[in-house]
């Protein structure tokens, strides 16, 4: 919280001496505050990179659409994703949950037409934006299909 900083600010604003305890608490809070600033700017740097880094406002809707439009083949034990390229030309087919998840993670990061980042950058973005949580929620909506194919 910012209470320790406010206590010091208040003393300064009213031209009072800062108590030792307030000063010690201020030093601890200052470190946390600077860490929060650093985390914020790291996130901002990711958002302004020209290589396609951005927040994920539409990830849920995009992945939901891909899964809802998919062809779930219980006899062939696979799922085909339709129109993921926007042209209807490329239709990848997946034979297991791991490869489907990998594809969906890449799609989540690619949302918005940016360039797909390198693997280490994908891991950073996954940790920042809880892509796995989004995927888990959406895959849970398709639990019946996944069970029917024996994937879960």
């Amino acid at each position: 919280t910012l209470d320790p900083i406010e206590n010091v600010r208040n003393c300064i604003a009213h031209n009072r001496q800062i108590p030792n305890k307030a000063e010690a608490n201020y030093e601890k809070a200052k470190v946390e505050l600077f860490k929060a600033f650093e985390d914020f700017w790291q996130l901002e740097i990711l958002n302004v990179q020209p290589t396609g880094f951005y927040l994920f406002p539409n990830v849920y809707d995009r992945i939901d659409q891909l899964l809802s439009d998919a062809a779930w083949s219980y006899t062939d034990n696979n799922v085909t994703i339709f129109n993921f390229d926007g042209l209807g030309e490329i239709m990848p087919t997946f034979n297991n949950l791991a490869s489907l998840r990998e594809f969906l993670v890449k799609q989540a990061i690619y949302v918005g037409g940016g360039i797909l980042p390198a693997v280490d950058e994908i891991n950073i973005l996954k940790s920042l934006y809880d892509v796995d949580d989004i995927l888990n929620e959406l895959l849970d909506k398709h639990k019946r299909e996944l069970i029917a194919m024996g994937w879960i």
Side-chain angles (χ1 to χ4, degrees), residues 96-106 132 135-136 139:
N96 59 60
L97 185 56
S99 60
L100 176 62
R101 282 185 72 88
E102 182 181 342
F103 170 80
L104 293 175
V105 166
K106 289 179 181 176
D132 288 327
L135 289 181
N136 289 337
L139 288 170

Side-chain angles (χ1 to χ4, degrees), residues 63-102:
I63 301 304
D64 190 30
Q65 177 189 1
L66 289 174
L67 291 172
S68 296
D69 294 345
W72 300 84
S73 175
Y74 308 118
T75 54
D76 295 331
N77 201 33
N78 64 34
V79 60
T80 301
I81 303 294
F82 291 106
N83 199 28
F84 95 91
D85 63 347
L87 303 173
E89 296 175 4
I90 301 174
M91 295 179 281
T93 298
F94 303 96
N95 297 314
N96 59 60
L97 185 56
S99 60
L100 176 62
R101 282 185 72 88
E102 182 181 342

Side-chain angles (χ1 to χ4, degrees), residues 11-92:
C11 290
I12 292 169
H14 296 286
N15 201 23
R16 293 189 306 238
Q17 183 174 352
I18 301 169
N20 290 339
K21 184 177 179 182
E23 188 172 351
N25 290 339
Y26 170 81
E27 290 301 322
K28 291 176 192 172
K30 186 170 76 169
V31 170
E32 291 178 27
L33 184 62
F34 285 148
K35 172 80 170 92
F37 287 154
E38 185 177 323
D39 291 347
F40 170 81
W41 286 115
Q42 293 247 343
L43 185 60
E44 277 300 302
I45 288 168
L46 288 175
N47 289 328
V48 297
Q49 291 291 328
T51 56
F53 292 104
Y54 32 75
L55 290 172
F56 294 137
N58 301 317
V59 169
Y60 186 94
D61 293 338
R62 172 68 173 148
I63 301 304
D64 190 30
Q65 177 189 1
L66 289 174
L67 291 172
S68 296
D69 294 345
W72 300 84
S73 175
Y74 308 118
T75 54
D76 295 331
N77 201 33
N78 64 34
V79 60
T80 301
I81 303 294
F82 291 106
N83 199 28
F84 95 91
D85 63 347
L87 303 173
E89 296 175 4
I90 301 174
M91 295 179 281

Side-chain angles (χ1 to χ4, degrees), residues 89-134:
E89 296 175 4
I90 301 174
M91 295 179 281
T93 298
F94 303 96
N95 297 314
N96 59 60
L97 185 56
S99 60
L100 176 62
R101 282 185 72 88
E102 182 181 342
F103 170 80
L104 293 175
V105 166
K106 289 179 181 176
Q107 286 302 302
I109 292 167
Y110 192 73
V111 166
I115 297 169
L116 190 63
V119 171
D120 58 334
E121 293 161 337
I122 287 173
N123 291 333
I124 292 169
L125 290 168
K126 280 172 60 179
S127 67
L128 289 173
Y129 301 111
D130 296 325
V131 172
D132 288 327
D133 290 344
I134 293 170

